[in-house]
Amino acid sequence: MVKALFLDRDGVVNIEKDYLYEIEDFEFIEGIFSLCNYYQELGYIIIIVTNQSGIARKYYSEEDFNKLSTWMVTEFKKNNIEIKKVYFCPHHPDISGECFCRKPNPGMLLDASAEFDIDLKNSIIVGDKERDIEAGINAGLNETYLYDETNSIKSSKATKIISKLDEIWK
Ligand SMILES: [Mg+2]
Ligand SMILES: [Zn+2]
């Protein structure tokens, strides 16, 4: 069994912009590479779990999403970080009906756990929305971090609310 660092994408890996799918709009958040390096050194595998309802809404295609993911994973690699897999939920309940993968549901984390034999209890999730935290809790994680750069979120089920990514490991 292996521990995982689960990362939400928009708002954790890259600066949140509505329905982002173009490489030129993708800006990495400060501290994301150091965070990944730290946990990678400790033996955690790194997995991205992202809701992408823009696909259901037809704002961009699955192919657009995959193209951006391939580029993003290469950028991580340049920083000596291996992203094991990018799981995404292309659905939206109003358009494609309820699904088990859209956070706060734990489907993506459970799929990852089955695929890579992950010890969920001892894994970590970092998200910028409460639904990321809930997905972690629903999957049985004990350690969850809510990243809120603006310091405006007052309460959360998260282990800790952080305003800088390095607060998790420093
Ligand atoms: Mg997000
Ligand atoms: Zn889904």
Side-chain angles (χ1 to χ4, degrees):
M1 270 201 169
V2 65
K3 297 178 194 175
L5 172 66
F6 290 103
L7 301 171
D8 172 38
R9 197 195 77 182
D10 300 300
V12 172
V13 172
N14 58 279
I15 295 170
E16 166 84 60
K17 293 176 189 171
D18 277 352
Y19 304 108
L20 165 77
Y21 71 95
E22 305 258 35
I23 290 168
E24 66 221 50
D25 296 328
F26 195 101
E27 288 179 69
F28 283 96
I29 286 180
E30 199 188 320
I32 188 65
F33 295 135
S34 315
L35 174 76
C36 291
N37 269 314
Y38 178 81
Y39 282 103
Q40 195 170 257
E41 287 287 302
L42 290 177
Y44 286 69
I45 61 168
I46 302 166
I47 287 176
I48 294 177
V49 286
T50 177
N51 285 357
Q52 293 293 326
S53 69
I55 297 171
R57 297 176 202 269
K58 298 198 161 41
Y59 293 159
Y60 48 88
S61 67
E62 206 161 311
E63 199 189 331
D64 294 326
F65 173 80
N66 287 328
K67 211 167 126 188
L68 179 60
S69 289
T70 302
W71 174 85
M72 175 186 70
V73 166
T74 306
E75 293 301 302
F76 272 106
K77 239 178 227 146
K78 288 181 189 166
N79 288 274
N80 301 313
I81 296 155
E82 185 193 356
I83 302 296
K84 269 276 183 230
K85 190 162 173 176
V86 179
Y87 289 87
F88 65 101
C89 164
H91 310 118
H92 188 277
D94 296 346
I95 300 159
S96 40
E98 293 293 332
C99 66
F100 194 56
C101 40
R102 185 173 165 83
K103 296 173 286 182
N105 294 324
M108 293 189 281
L109 286 83
L110 298 181
D111 285 350
S113 170
E115 193 168 345
F116 298 105
D117 194 25
I118 294 168
D119 174 5
L120 287 169
K121 239 207 292 195
N122 291 303
S123 293
I124 300 170
I125 191 166
V126 188
D128 71 323
K129 299 243 163 65
E130 191 63 15
R131 67 180 176 215
D132 301 316
I133 304 307
E134 287 167 353
I137 292 168
N138 290 335
L141 273 61
N142 289 321
E143 203 176 337
T144 60
Y145 294 97
L146 184 63
Y147 174 59
D148 170 29
E149 211 191 8
T150 59
N151 264 315
S152 53
I153 302 171
K154 297 296 167 222
S155 84
S156 167
K157 292 178 198 143
T159 310
K160 196 175 173 195
I161 305 174
I162 52 161
S163 61
K164 284 202 171 77
L165 289 177
D166 66 9
E167 283 174 55
I168 298 172
W169 60 276
K170 269 189 178 164

